Amino acid sequence: MREVISNIIIIISLIFILTGVFGLYRFRNFYSRIAIASYIDTAGYLLLMLGVIVRSGVTWFSAKVILITVIVVLINPVVTHSIARSAYHGGYRIENEGSHD
Amino acid sequence: MIEVASYLITVLIAITAIRIIIGPTVWDRLLGFNIVLSKILMLIVLFSMIFDKTYLLDIAITYALIGFVSTLFIARFLKDRGRI
């Protein structure tokens, strides 16, 4: 029974990750691209780790996976924000997109 | 199912790497690097699930911390175009 649940969760997370990669190429300017890609990627990561945890049950393995999930879910948005902020302060604007490097 | 997921994520890493190459601005490349980083983390956890080795997860923890912090510093370096 647990296999079925974890398989379903993993399939859903794969759909999320596919959407994230698709969003990476879909958008024209940088800011919408970074919003979608990292946001969906973190969600996909969360679901995939949930699937792994459900599949491995209550063991030290899933405790470590929970630790990694907490680390990534905390740090990924911070890094994404810093990238977008450095893009904004670095002079990247949307309307004259072509003029910067 | 875990094997199928790891195959798919490996293909997606290649696709994301294309974005690193063709990214018009340098911040696109940084974004691609960040996405590839978290995908590799997924792969490490999936492989440690397949081979059922708990100590592989320590690699994932270290890699996550170092990779994200390095992306953070690269972003800060690029903010002032090298004049921190």
Side-chain angles (χ1 to χ4, degrees):
Chain A
M1 184 54 191
R2 217 167 22 163
E3 300 284 330
V4 175
I5 297 174
S6 76
N7 285 349
I8 292 169
I9 293 178
I10 286 175
I11 288 172
I12 297 172
S13 77
L14 286 180
I15 293 170
F16 265 90
I17 297 166
L18 271 168
T19 322
V21 172
F22 174 70
L24 207 56
Y25 289 94
R26 162 80 180 66
F27 292 100
R28 290 271 63 79
N29 55 30
F30 167 71
Y31 291 115
S32 49
R33 197 179 299 150
I34 190 172
I36 288 302
S38 61
Y39 179 70
I40 301 282
D41 196 56
T42 312
Y45 184 89
L46 200 62
L47 274 175
L48 187 67
M49 290 311 133
L50 194 66
V52 167
I53 288 165
V54 163
R55 191 186 182 102
S56 74
V58 186
T59 59
W60 284 111
F61 183 84
S62 58
K64 272 188 180 178
V65 173
I66 290 173
L67 175 67
I68 293 178
T69 315
V70 167
I71 287 175
V72 170
V73 167
L74 274 178
I75 293 185
N76 207 354
V78 170
V79 173
T80 311
H81 167 70
S82 77
I83 293 174
R85 189 168 177 276
S86 90
Y88 186 75
H89 284 295
Y92 180 83
R93 295 294 182 271
I94 290 178
E95 57 278 0
N96 45 20
E97 191 186 43
S99 73
H100 288 280
D101 55 67
Chain B
M1 191 58 204
I2 298 270
E3 291 80 10
V4 172
S6 57
Y7 298 149
L8 188 64
I9 288 180
T10 313
V11 170
L12 289 179
I13 285 180
I15 295 173
T16 315
I18 296 172
R19 168 52 69 184
I20 294 179
I21 294 165
I22 63 171
T25 65
V26 69
W27 293 286
D28 280 311
R29 295 190 176 95
L30 205 55
L31 168 65
F33 174 73
N34 189 18
I35 301 288
V36 165
L37 182 87
S38 73
K39 284 203 172 26
I40 288 175
L41 269 176
M42 294 179 199
L43 271 184
I44 293 177
V45 175
L46 285 181
F47 281 157
S48 69
M49 182 85 196
I50 292 171
F51 301 137
D52 207 3
K53 298 275 196 306
T54 308
Y55 56 82
L56 285 180
L57 287 177
D58 307 340
I59 303 174
I61 295 175
T62 321
Y63 181 68
L65 294 174
I66 292 176
F68 283 124
V69 169
S70 66
T71 312
L72 205 68
F73 278 116
I74 295 172
R76 189 165 181 277
F77 179 78
L78 290 176
K79 181 157 69 76
D80 305 329
R81 301 296 172 94
R83 293 179 300 276
I84 280 183

